[in-house]
PDB file of all heavy atoms in Angstrom:
ATOM      1  N   ILE Z 205      98.088  94.292 116.282  1.00  0.00           N
ATOM      2  CA  ILE Z 205      99.030  95.392 116.021  1.00  0.00           C
ATOM      3  C   ILE Z 205      98.544  96.264 114.921  1.00  0.00           C
ATOM      4  O   ILE Z 205      98.068  95.803 113.948  1.00  0.00           O
ATOM      5  CB  ILE Z 205     100.365  94.721 115.660  1.00  0.00           C
ATOM      6  CG1 ILE Z 205     100.940  93.775 116.704  1.00  0.00           C
ATOM      7  CG2 ILE Z 205     101.376  95.819 115.289  1.00  0.00           C
ATOM      8  CD1 ILE Z 205     102.105  92.941 116.368  1.00  0.00           C
ATOM      9  N   GLY Z 206      98.616  97.526 115.128  1.00  0.00           N
ATOM     10  CA  GLY Z 206      98.276  98.540 114.160  1.00  0.00           C
ATOM     11  C   GLY Z 206      99.484  99.462 113.854  1.00  0.00           C
ATOM     12  O   GLY Z 206     100.278  99.791 114.706  1.00  0.00           O
ATOM     13  N   ILE Z 207      99.619  99.780 112.550  1.00  0.00           N
ATOM     14  CA  ILE Z 207     100.741 100.723 112.210  1.00  0.00           C
ATOM     15  C   ILE Z 207     100.138 101.931 111.501  1.00  0.00           C
ATOM     16  O   ILE Z 207      99.214 101.835 110.719  1.00  0.00           O
ATOM     17  CB  ILE Z 207     101.764 100.006 111.300  1.00  0.00           C
ATOM     18  CG1 ILE Z 207     102.960 100.950 111.139  1.00  0.00           C
ATOM     19  CG2 ILE Z 207     101.212  99.595 109.935  1.00  0.00           C
ATOM     20  CD1 ILE Z 207     104.200 100.306 110.525  1.00  0.00           C
ATOM     21  N   VAL Z 208     100.662 103.070 111.831  1.00  0.00           N
ATOM     22  CA  VAL Z 208     100.374 104.313 111.130  1.00  0.00           C
ATOM     23  C   VAL Z 208     101.648 104.745 110.437  1.00  0.00           C
ATOM     24  O   VAL Z 208     102.510 105.320 111.123  1.00  0.00           O
ATOM     25  CB  VAL Z 208      99.831 105.421 112.141  1.00  0.00           C
ATOM     26  CG1 VAL Z 208      99.465 106.615 111.413  1.00  0.00           C
ATOM     27  CG2 VAL Z 208      98.728 104.863 112.976  1.00  0.00           C
ATOM     28  N   PRO Z 209     101.778 104.499 109.133  1.00  0.00           N
ATOM     29  CA  PRO Z 209     102.884 104.916 108.443  1.00  0.00           C
ATOM     30  C   PRO Z 209     102.889 106.437 108.179  1.00  0.00           C
ATOM     31  O   PRO Z 209     101.876 106.937 107.693  1.00  0.00           O
ATOM     32  CB  PRO Z 209     102.896 104.150 107.127  1.00  0.00           C
ATOM     33  CG  PRO Z 209     101.909 103.040 107.367  1.00  0.00           C
ATOM     34  CD  PRO Z 209     100.905 103.638 108.335  1.00  0.00           C
ATOM     35  N   LEU Z 221      94.542 109.377 112.699  1.00  0.00           N
ATOM     36  CA  LEU Z 221      94.861 107.972 112.354  1.00  0.00           C
ATOM     37  C   LEU Z 221      95.360 107.224 113.652  1.00  0.00           C
ATOM     38  O   LEU Z 221      95.033 106.068 113.903  1.00  0.00           O
ATOM     39  CB  LEU Z 221      95.878 107.865 111.288  1.00  0.00           C
ATOM     40  CG  LEU Z 221      95.655 108.609 109.948  1.00  0.00           C
ATOM     41  CD1 LEU Z 221      96.818 108.396 108.956  1.00  0.00           C
ATOM     42  CD2 LEU Z 221      94.374 108.231 109.286  1.00  0.00           C
ATOM     43  N   ALA Z 225      93.857 104.011 115.431  1.00  0.00           N
ATOM     44  CA  ALA Z 225      94.728 102.819 115.651  1.00  0.00           C
ATOM     45  C   ALA Z 225      94.632 102.467 117.126  1.00  0.00           C
ATOM     46  O   ALA Z 225      94.570 101.278 117.540  1.00  0.00           O
ATOM     47  CB  ALA Z 225      96.117 103.153 115.187  1.00  0.00           C
ATOM     48  N   MET Z 228      91.414 100.758 117.902  1.00  0.00           N
ATOM     49  CA  MET Z 228      91.213  99.400 117.267  1.00  0.00           C
ATOM     50  C   MET Z 228      92.228  98.350 117.671  1.00  0.00           C
ATOM     51  O   MET Z 228      91.982  97.150 117.487  1.00  0.00           O
ATOM     52  CB  MET Z 228      91.152  99.481 115.745  1.00  0.00           C
ATOM     53  CG  MET Z 228      89.949 100.229 115.202  1.00  0.00           C
ATOM     54  SD  MET Z 228      90.046 100.438 113.372  1.00  0.00           S
ATOM     55  CE  MET Z 228      90.093  98.765 112.840  1.00  0.00           C
ATOM     56  N   CYS Z 229      93.429  98.778 118.095  1.00  0.00           N
ATOM     57  CA  CYS Z 229      94.480  97.815 118.231  1.00  0.00           C
ATOM     58  C   CYS Z 229      95.032  97.748 119.642  1.00  0.00           C
ATOM     59  O   CYS Z 229      95.044  98.758 120.291  1.00  0.00           O
ATOM     60  CB  CYS Z 229      95.658  98.129 117.251  1.00  0.00           C
ATOM     61  SG  CYS Z 229      95.095  98.413 115.577  1.00  0.00           S
ATOM     62  N   VAL Z 233     102.023 101.068 116.497  1.00  0.00           N
ATOM     63  CA  VAL Z 233     103.356 101.517 115.972  1.00  0.00           C
ATOM     64  C   VAL Z 233     103.126 102.745 114.980  1.00  0.00           C
ATOM     65  O   VAL Z 233     102.236 102.622 114.136  1.00  0.00           O
ATOM     66  CB  VAL Z 233     104.037 100.322 115.129  1.00  0.00           C
ATOM     67  CG1 VAL Z 233     105.372 100.755 114.643  1.00  0.00           C
ATOM     68  CG2 VAL Z 233     104.037  99.083 115.957  1.00  0.00           C
ATOM     69  N   VAL Z 313     106.027 100.823 101.810  1.00  0.00           N
ATOM     70  CA  VAL Z 313     104.926 100.284 102.550  1.00  0.00           C
ATOM     71  C   VAL Z 313     105.051  98.687 102.594  1.00  0.00           C
ATOM     72  O   VAL Z 313     104.767  98.137 103.672  1.00  0.00           O
ATOM     73  CB  VAL Z 313     103.497 100.691 101.902  1.00  0.00           C
ATOM     74  CG1 VAL Z 313     102.371  99.913 102.503  1.00  0.00           C
ATOM     75  CG2 VAL Z 313     103.373 102.204 102.163  1.00  0.00           C
ATOM     76  N   LEU Z 316     107.536  98.168 105.317  1.00  0.00           N
ATOM     77  CA  LEU Z 316     106.923  98.388 106.619  1.00  0.00           C
ATOM     78  C   LEU Z 316     105.969  97.247 107.092  1.00  0.00           C
ATOM     79  O   LEU Z 316     105.921  96.826 108.210  1.00  0.00           O
ATOM     80  CB  LEU Z 316     106.160  99.755 106.641  1.00  0.00           C
ATOM     81  CG  LEU Z 316     107.077 100.992 106.541  1.00  0.00           C
ATOM     82  CD1 LEU Z 316     106.199 102.286 106.376  1.00  0.00           C
ATOM     83  CD2 LEU Z 316     107.952 101.172 107.802  1.00  0.00           C
ATOM     84  N   LEU Z 317     105.157  96.824 106.099  1.00  0.00           N
ATOM     85  CA  LEU Z 317     104.216  95.744 106.481  1.00  0.00           C
ATOM     86  C   LEU Z 317     104.924  94.443 106.785  1.00  0.00           C
ATOM     87  O   LEU Z 317     104.600  93.683 107.603  1.00  0.00           O
ATOM     88  CB  LEU Z 317     103.162  95.531 105.249  1.00  0.00           C
ATOM     89  CG  LEU Z 317     102.241  96.671 104.958  1.00  0.00           C
ATOM     90  CD1 LEU Z 317     101.240  96.309 103.914  1.00  0.00           C
ATOM     91  CD2 LEU Z 317     101.568  97.199 106.197  1.00  0.00           C
ATOM     92  N   ARG Z 321     104.392  93.517 110.476  1.00  0.00           N
ATOM     93  CA  ARG Z 321     103.336  92.455 110.437  1.00  0.00           C
ATOM     94  C   ARG Z 321     102.050  92.929 111.147  1.00  0.00           C
ATOM     95  O   ARG Z 321     101.496  92.206 111.954  1.00  0.00           O
ATOM     96  CB  ARG Z 321     103.824  91.204 111.149  1.00  0.00           C
ATOM     97  CG  ARG Z 321     105.023  90.488 110.473  1.00  0.00           C
ATOM     98  CD  ARG Z 321     104.546  89.952 109.100  1.00  0.00           C
ATOM     99  NE  ARG Z 321     105.702  89.721 108.237  1.00  0.00           N
ATOM    100  CZ  ARG Z 321     106.281  88.542 108.034  1.00  0.00           C
ATOM    101  NH1 ARG Z 321     105.762  87.484 108.630  1.00  0.00           N
ATOM    102  NH2 ARG Z 321     107.292  88.465 107.269  1.00  0.00           N
ATOM    103  N   PRO Z 322     101.532  94.119 110.762  1.00  0.00           N
ATOM    104  CA  PRO Z 322     100.381  94.570 111.486  1.00  0.00           C
ATOM    105  C   PRO Z 322      99.073  93.938 111.074  1.00  0.00           C
ATOM    106  O   PRO Z 322      98.924  93.527 109.925  1.00  0.00           O
ATOM    107  CB  PRO Z 322     100.286  96.123 111.078  1.00  0.00           C
ATOM    108  CG  PRO Z 322     100.920  96.097 109.668  1.00  0.00           C
ATOM    109  CD  PRO Z 322     101.957  94.979 109.659  1.00  0.00           C
ATOM    110  N   ASP Z 323      98.142  93.936 111.972  1.00  0.00           N
ATOM    111  CA  ASP Z 323      96.763  93.453 111.655  1.00  0.00           C
ATOM    112  C   ASP Z 323      96.032  94.617 110.825  1.00  0.00           C
ATOM    113  O   ASP Z 323      95.248  94.313 110.029  1.00  0.00           O
ATOM    114  CB  ASP Z 323      95.977  93.094 112.923  1.00  0.00           C
ATOM    115  CG  ASP Z 323      96.664  91.980 113.663  1.00  0.00           C
ATOM    116  OD1 ASP Z 323      96.463  90.824 113.272  1.00  0.00           O
ATOM    117  OD2 ASP Z 323      97.444  92.268 114.618  1.00  0.00           O
ATOM    118  N   PHE Z 324      96.420  95.834 111.228  1.00  0.00           N
ATOM    119  CA  PHE Z 324      95.705  96.938 110.572  1.00  0.00           C
ATOM    120  C   PHE Z 324      96.804  97.996 110.204  1.00  0.00           C
ATOM    121  O   PHE Z 324      97.716  98.168 110.928  1.00  0.00           O
ATOM    122  CB  PHE Z 324      94.746  97.660 111.539  1.00  0.00           C
ATOM    123  CG  PHE Z 324      93.594  96.790 111.995  1.00  0.00           C
ATOM    124  CD1 PHE Z 324      93.722  96.011 113.206  1.00  0.00           C
ATOM    125  CD2 PHE Z 324      92.448  96.593 111.195  1.00  0.00           C
ATOM    126  CE1 PHE Z 324      92.711  95.205 113.578  1.00  0.00           C
ATOM    127  CE2 PHE Z 324      91.409  95.751 111.630  1.00  0.00           C
ATOM    128  CZ  PHE Z 324      91.535  95.077 112.836  1.00  0.00           C
ATOM    129  N   ALA Z 325      96.566  98.687 109.108  1.00  0.00           N
ATOM    130  CA  ALA Z 325      97.413  99.849 108.708  1.00  0.00           C
ATOM    131  C   ALA Z 325      96.558 101.023 108.293  1.00  0.00           C
ATOM    132  O   ALA Z 325      95.489 100.853 107.619  1.00  0.00           O
ATOM    133  CB  ALA Z 325      98.358  99.514 107.559  1.00  0.00           C
ATOM    134  N   PHE Z 326      96.876 102.172 108.809  1.00  0.00           N
ATOM    135  CA  PHE Z 326      95.969 103.312 108.734  1.00  0.00           C
ATOM    136  C   PHE Z 326      96.531 104.339 107.800  1.00  0.00           C
ATOM    137  O   PHE Z 326      97.685 104.806 107.931  1.00  0.00           O
ATOM    138  CB  PHE Z 326      95.806 103.956 110.183  1.00  0.00           C
ATOM    139  CG  PHE Z 326      95.142 102.955 111.056  1.00  0.00           C
ATOM    140  CD1 PHE Z 326      95.918 101.968 111.705  1.00  0.00           C
ATOM    141  CD2 PHE Z 326      93.779 102.944 111.383  1.00  0.00           C
ATOM    142  CE1 PHE Z 326      95.306 101.007 112.600  1.00  0.00           C
ATOM    143  CE2 PHE Z 326      93.181 102.066 112.211  1.00  0.00           C
ATOM    144  CZ  PHE Z 326      94.010 101.084 112.792  1.00  0.00           C
ATOM    145  N   PHE Z 327      95.685 104.888 106.892  1.00  0.00           N
ATOM    146  CA  PHE Z 327      96.068 105.946 105.923  1.00  0.00           C
ATOM    147  C   PHE Z 327      94.905 106.968 105.761  1.00  0.00           C
ATOM    148  O   PHE Z 327      93.779 106.629 106.111  1.00  0.00           O
ATOM    149  CB  PHE Z 327      96.379 105.296 104.539  1.00  0.00           C
ATOM    150  CG  PHE Z 327      97.483 104.289 104.613  1.00  0.00           C
ATOM    151  CD1 PHE Z 327      97.235 102.950 104.854  1.00  0.00           C
ATOM    152  CD2 PHE Z 327      98.791 104.658 104.432  1.00  0.00           C
ATOM    153  CE1 PHE Z 327      98.271 102.040 104.904  1.00  0.00           C
ATOM    154  CE2 PHE Z 327      99.852 103.780 104.433  1.00  0.00           C
ATOM    155  CZ  PHE Z 327      99.577 102.395 104.687  1.00  0.00           C
ATOM    156  N   GLY Z 328      95.258 108.111 105.217  1.00  0.00           N
ATOM    157  CA  GLY Z 328      94.186 109.211 105.064  1.00  0.00           C
ATOM    158  C   GLY Z 328      93.724 109.205 103.619  1.00  0.00           C
ATOM    159  O   GLY Z 328      94.387 108.937 102.656  1.00  0.00           O
ATOM    160  N   ILE Z 338      97.775 101.222  97.733  1.00  0.00           N
ATOM    161  CA  ILE Z 338      98.093 100.354  98.929  1.00  0.00           C
ATOM    162  C   ILE Z 338      97.116  99.201  99.108  1.00  0.00           C
ATOM    163  O   ILE Z 338      97.501  98.063  99.335  1.00  0.00           O
ATOM    164  CB  ILE Z 338      98.269 101.177 100.178  1.00  0.00           C
ATOM    165  CG1 ILE Z 338      99.547 102.118 100.007  1.00  0.00           C
ATOM    166  CG2 ILE Z 338      98.447 100.384 101.407  1.00  0.00           C
ATOM    167  CD1 ILE Z 338      99.687 103.212 100.992  1.00  0.00           C
ATOM    168  N   LYS Z 339      95.820  99.487  98.825  1.00  0.00           N
ATOM    169  CA  LYS Z 339      94.823  98.451  99.026  1.00  0.00           C
ATOM    170  C   LYS Z 339      95.093  97.385  97.970  1.00  0.00           C
ATOM    171  O   LYS Z 339      95.018  96.182  98.217  1.00  0.00           O
ATOM    172  CB  LYS Z 339      93.422  98.983  98.868  1.00  0.00           C
ATOM    173  CG  LYS Z 339      92.942  99.752 100.112  1.00  0.00           C
ATOM    174  CD  LYS Z 339      91.450  99.976 100.038  1.00  0.00           C
ATOM    175  CE  LYS Z 339      91.061 101.337  99.893  1.00  0.00           C
ATOM    176  NZ  LYS Z 339      89.667 101.671  99.664  1.00  0.00           N
ATOM    177  N   VAL Z 342      98.260  95.272  98.948  1.00  0.00           N
ATOM    178  CA  VAL Z 342      97.963  94.311 100.004  1.00  0.00           C
ATOM    179  C   VAL Z 342      97.195  93.086  99.472  1.00  0.00           C
ATOM    180  O   VAL Z 342      97.383  91.991  99.789  1.00  0.00           O
ATOM    181  CB  VAL Z 342      97.190  95.036 101.147  1.00  0.00           C
ATOM    182  CG1 VAL Z 342      96.519  94.126 102.054  1.00  0.00           C
ATOM    183  CG2 VAL Z 342      98.196  95.930 101.893  1.00  0.00           C
ATOM    184  N   ASP Z 348      98.468  90.006 105.198  1.00  0.00           N
ATOM    185  CA  ASP Z 348      97.365  89.742 106.108  1.00  0.00           C
ATOM    186  C   ASP Z 348      97.145  90.967 106.976  1.00  0.00           C
ATOM    187  O   ASP Z 348      97.158  90.988 108.200  1.00  0.00           O
ATOM    188  CB  ASP Z 348      97.879  88.561 107.069  1.00  0.00           C
ATOM    189  CG  ASP Z 348      96.618  88.019 107.815  1.00  0.00           C
ATOM    190  OD1 ASP Z 348      95.482  88.372 107.465  1.00  0.00           O
ATOM    191  OD2 ASP Z 348      96.842  87.219 108.739  1.00  0.00           O
ATOM    192  N   THR Z 349      96.875  92.092 106.354  1.00  0.00           N
ATOM    193  CA  THR Z 349      96.740  93.425 106.923  1.00  0.00           C
ATOM    194  C   THR Z 349      95.412  94.081 106.368  1.00  0.00           C
ATOM    195  O   THR Z 349      95.232  94.076 105.182  1.00  0.00           O
ATOM    196  CB  THR Z 349      97.970  94.340 106.697  1.00  0.00           C
ATOM    197  OG1 THR Z 349      99.132  93.699 107.153  1.00  0.00           O
ATOM    198  CG2 THR Z 349      97.765  95.705 107.328  1.00  0.00           C
ATOM    199  N   GLU Z 350      94.632  94.592 107.321  1.00  0.00           N
ATOM    200  CA  GLU Z 350      93.469  95.342 106.810  1.00  0.00           C
ATOM    201  C   GLU Z 350      93.909  96.810 106.699  1.00  0.00           C
ATOM    202  O   GLU Z 350      94.478  97.359 107.582  1.00  0.00           O
ATOM    203  CB  GLU Z 350      92.324  95.260 107.777  1.00  0.00           C
ATOM    204  CG  GLU Z 350      91.532  94.007 107.633  1.00  0.00           C
ATOM    205  CD  GLU Z 350      90.230  94.010 108.451  1.00  0.00           C
ATOM    206  OE1 GLU Z 350      89.747  95.076 108.828  1.00  0.00           O
ATOM    207  OE2 GLU Z 350      89.795  92.885 108.793  1.00  0.00           O
ATOM    208  N   ILE Z 351      93.521  97.379 105.550  1.00  0.00           N
ATOM    209  CA  ILE Z 351      93.854  98.804 105.274  1.00  0.00           C
ATOM    210  C   ILE Z 351      92.686  99.731 105.666  1.00  0.00           C
ATOM    211  O   ILE Z 351      91.582  99.465 105.208  1.00  0.00           O
ATOM    212  CB  ILE Z 351      94.229  99.002 103.788  1.00  0.00           C
ATOM    213  CG1 ILE Z 351      95.361  98.115 103.366  1.00  0.00           C
ATOM    214  CG2 ILE Z 351      94.523 100.463 103.528  1.00  0.00           C
ATOM    215  CD1 ILE Z 351      96.677  98.392 104.195  1.00  0.00           C
ATOM    216  N   VAL Z 352      92.939 100.560 106.580  1.00  0.00           N
ATOM    217  CA  VAL Z 352      91.797 101.412 107.055  1.00  0.00           C
ATOM    218  C   VAL Z 352      92.102 102.834 106.571  1.00  0.00           C
ATOM    219  O   VAL Z 352      93.156 103.445 106.787  1.00  0.00           O
ATOM    220  CB  VAL Z 352      91.848 101.500 108.630  1.00  0.00           C
ATOM    221  CG1 VAL Z 352      90.653 102.301 109.124  1.00  0.00           C
ATOM    222  CG2 VAL Z 352      91.741  99.993 109.151  1.00  0.00           C
ATOM    223  N   ILE Z 353      91.069 103.305 105.869  1.00  0.00           N
ATOM    224  CA  ILE Z 353      91.219 104.664 105.238  1.00  0.00           C
ATOM    225  C   ILE Z 353      90.295 105.600 105.989  1.00  0.00           C
ATOM    226  O   ILE Z 353      89.089 105.409 106.133  1.00  0.00           O
ATOM    227  CB  ILE Z 353      90.796 104.726 103.769  1.00  0.00           C
ATOM    228  CG1 ILE Z 353      91.559 103.626 103.009  1.00  0.00           C
ATOM    229  CG2 ILE Z 353      91.053 106.134 103.105  1.00  0.00           C
ATOM    230  CD1 ILE Z 353      93.105 103.761 102.978  1.00  0.00           C
ATOM    231  N   LEU Z 354      90.869 106.730 106.552  1.00  0.00           N
ATOM    232  CA  LEU Z 354      90.083 107.678 107.346  1.00  0.00           C
ATOM    233  C   LEU Z 354      89.938 109.021 106.628  1.00  0.00           C
ATOM    234  O   LEU Z 354      90.773 109.356 105.822  1.00  0.00           O
ATOM    235  CB  LEU Z 354      90.705 107.765 108.816  1.00  0.00           C
ATOM    236  CG  LEU Z 354      90.743 106.578 109.579  1.00  0.00           C
ATOM    237  CD1 LEU Z 354      91.507 106.725 110.822  1.00  0.00           C
ATOM    238  CD2 LEU Z 354      89.296 106.099 109.910  1.00  0.00           C
ATOM    239  N   THR Z 471      84.716 101.691 105.044  1.00  0.00           N
ATOM    240  CA  THR Z 471      85.976 102.166 104.678  1.00  0.00           C
ATOM    241  C   THR Z 471      87.114 101.163 105.101  1.00  0.00           C
ATOM    242  O   THR Z 471      88.240 101.409 104.801  1.00  0.00           O
ATOM    243  CB  THR Z 471      86.281 103.519 105.420  1.00  0.00           C
ATOM    244  OG1 THR Z 471      86.154 103.371 106.795  1.00  0.00           O
ATOM    245  CG2 THR Z 471      85.472 104.607 104.860  1.00  0.00           C
ATOM    246  N   VAL Z 472      86.801 100.045 105.760  1.00  0.00           N
ATOM    247  CA  VAL Z 472      87.835  99.086 106.098  1.00  0.00           C
ATOM    248  C   VAL Z 472      87.809  98.023 104.986  1.00  0.00           C
ATOM    249  O   VAL Z 472      86.755  97.448 104.770  1.00  0.00           O
ATOM    250  CB  VAL Z 472      87.495  98.507 107.520  1.00  0.00           C
ATOM    251  CG1 VAL Z 472      88.597  97.442 107.762  1.00  0.00           C
ATOM    252  CG2 VAL Z 472      87.478  99.558 108.549  1.00  0.00           C
ATOM    253  N   GLU Z 473      88.925  97.835 104.401  1.00  0.00           N
ATOM    254  CA  GLU Z 473      88.934  96.850 103.355  1.00  0.00           C
ATOM    255  C   GLU Z 473      90.193  95.932 103.485  1.00  0.00           C
ATOM    256  O   GLU Z 473      91.145  96.413 104.061  1.00  0.00           O
ATOM    257  CB  GLU Z 473      88.992  97.506 101.943  1.00  0.00           C
ATOM    258  CG  GLU Z 473      87.730  98.364 101.711  1.00  0.00           C
ATOM    259  CD  GLU Z 473      87.654  98.794 100.235  1.00  0.00           C
ATOM    260  OE1 GLU Z 473      88.188  98.171  99.373  1.00  0.00           O
ATOM    261  OE2 GLU Z 473      86.937  99.797 100.050  1.00  0.00           O
TER     262      GLU Z 473
END
Side-chain angles (χ1 to χ4, degrees):
I205 299 170
I207 187 165
V208 182
L221 306 183
M228 289 177 62
C229 308
V233 180
V313 169
L316 292 171
L317 297 184
R321 297 291 160 100
D323 299 281
F324 299 95
F326 297 82
F327 300 89
I338 292 169
K339 282 195 248 175
V342 162
D348 194 12
T349 300
E350 282 190 20
I351 301 301
V352 183
I353 307 301
L354 294 173
T471 54
V472 179
E473 299 191 22

